[in-house]
Amino acid sequence: MRTALTQISRGKRPATGRKSSTREPRWDNARFVAGTLVVLVHMSGSLADRDGLRWLYLATWAMRVPLFAVLAGYFSSAEPLRPREARRLIESVLVPYLAVGLLHTAQIWLLYDRLELFVVNPAWGLWFLLSLFFWRMSLPYLAHLRYPLATAVVVALAAGYVSDIGTDLSLSRTLTYLPFFLVGWKLRQRGRLREAFEARWSAYAALAVVGVAFVAAWFLRADVKGSTLRMKGPYAPGNPLDEPWAWLERGAVLGLGSLIALAALRLVPQRRVPFLTALGAGGMYIYILHPLVLRVYQRHWGYDWVGPWYDQIALVLMAVALGATLASPPVRRLTKPVV
């Protein structure tokens, strides 16, 4: 039996009694969209003063890492991890985490003549792999709770009040993004969430949700802080208790983020889309490899050329082209031993 983690990367549901080798296009389509949006936001991170890019950053936040977490949860199993599955989990998550971290170390040394090791503190973009490892390890235990999702939300809200919970071992993001992972896991199960997701009316509701999100993002683009969405540390530096009502803000981020991520997933085409579906099979390649490419670009060229709206559109097209390149079969064959 293939492990659930292997099936995450291959776009298949965990085995439920009989094996199936058929890929479901929806998940590959969603993976390419989420991966490409992650590339775009990392390319435009220093361009927050450009209204168009700032709006796109805010409007698509839930369609990036939260959507990746939902997909990971959907393809994860709550079955106890036997030694064989635990070994495969280590090989498919921790080994790439360490291997790609070494590539980051070598690249930084070559570009900046500076030595940085990434073990406890993840390299750029690799925190998701570390969090995925902890999510997958904890899922069999969380599944035994009466209300696992509600428990995860409470933990995510409380984590902001603990000053020691930060980026080390990706602990803050592991706790704060855990609800998205569990939403994906709950979606795979037969229940009200799955029934609503598959109902015909939910497609119209999803379109309304995404439309409102894009419109609201334009008017709120100057008010929402990036740190509020990233959730990678305590509510306030020094003494998190200085922000006694910050949990309400984070709760809204988790609730709206889950709603928008599910709505975006509902709108993703279920059928094969030329190029998009095939490239989506390499969604994790996009996520893991793009920081290595962008660091070289930033070192030698940068983004000072991005100004008016047509420059911003050019940057979006560059992100799509880079995502398509990294997900292409030749790149995947070349980097498969590492990724």
Side-chain angles (χ1 to χ4, degrees), residues 116-129:
E116 292 187 32
L117 296 176
F118 301 99
V119 179
V120 175
N121 203 340
W124 184 14
L126 290 186
W127 69 266
F128 186 82
L129 283 181

Side-chain angles (χ1 to χ4, degrees), residues 39-255:
V39 174
L40 174 61
V41 77
H42 284 166
M43 292 179 74
S44 60
S46 61
L47 305 172
D49 58 330
R50 279 69 162 179
D51 275 349
L53 294 175
R54 177 67 183 174
W55 162 72
L56 201 56
Y57 168 86
L58 182 58
T60 63
W61 172 77
M63 305 172 198
R64 300 193 302 266
V65 177
L67 181 53
F68 257 125
V70 169
L71 289 170
Y74 185 89
F75 288 104
S76 292
S77 170
E79 294 295 323
L81 284 175
R82 295 181 291 272
R84 183 180 180 185
E85 282 71 26
R87 176 176 59 82
R88 288 184 176 178
L89 180 61
I90 292 172
E91 291 175 349
S92 60
V93 179
L94 281 190
V95 171
Y97 169 77
L98 295 173
V100 180
L102 288 176
L103 292 180
H104 280 269
T105 296
Q107 187 183 60
I108 291 174
W109 181 74
L110 290 172
L111 292 176
Y112 300 99
D113 195 23
R114 185 175 74 243
L115 182 62
E116 292 187 32
L117 296 176
F118 301 99
V119 179
V120 175
N121 203 340
W124 184 14
L126 290 186
W127 69 266
F128 186 82
L129 283 181
L130 199 55
S131 294
L132 178 59
F133 176 79
F134 291 130
W135 294 334
R136 183 62 189 88
M137 289 288 291
S138 62
L139 183 57
Y141 305 98
L142 291 170
H144 285 291
L145 299 178
R146 186 171 184 178
Y147 302 108
L149 182 55
T151 302
V153 171
V154 171
V155 170
L157 300 181
Y161 289 108
V162 182
S163 57
D164 291 335
I165 295 179
T167 57
D168 288 351
L169 292 176
S170 186
L171 184 56
S172 180
R173 281 169 165 167
T174 297
L175 297 177
T176 54
Y177 281 82
L178 176 61
F180 297 116
F181 177 80
L182 290 179
V183 165
W185 174 67
K186 294 287 288 184
L187 181 63
R188 182 169 57 86
Q189 302 173 16
R190 288 293 172 184
R192 292 181 179 179
L193 180 60
R194 181 65 178 273
E195 291 173 359
F197 184 81
E198 293 180 342
R200 178 174 297 182
W201 62 263
S202 64
Y204 301 100
L207 184 61
V209 167
V210 172
V212 170
F214 271 75
V215 173
W218 177 257
F219 293 101
L220 298 174
R221 66 189 186 282
D223 300 319
V224 179
K225 299 178 181 178
S227 59
T228 301
L229 300 179
R230 289 189 290 269
M231 302 185 293
K232 65 177 182 179
Y235 292 131
N239 184 13
L241 295 177
D242 291 339
E243 299 285 346
W245 302 108
W247 66 272
L248 289 173
E249 190 176 65
R250 179 169 290 181
V253 167
L254 293 175

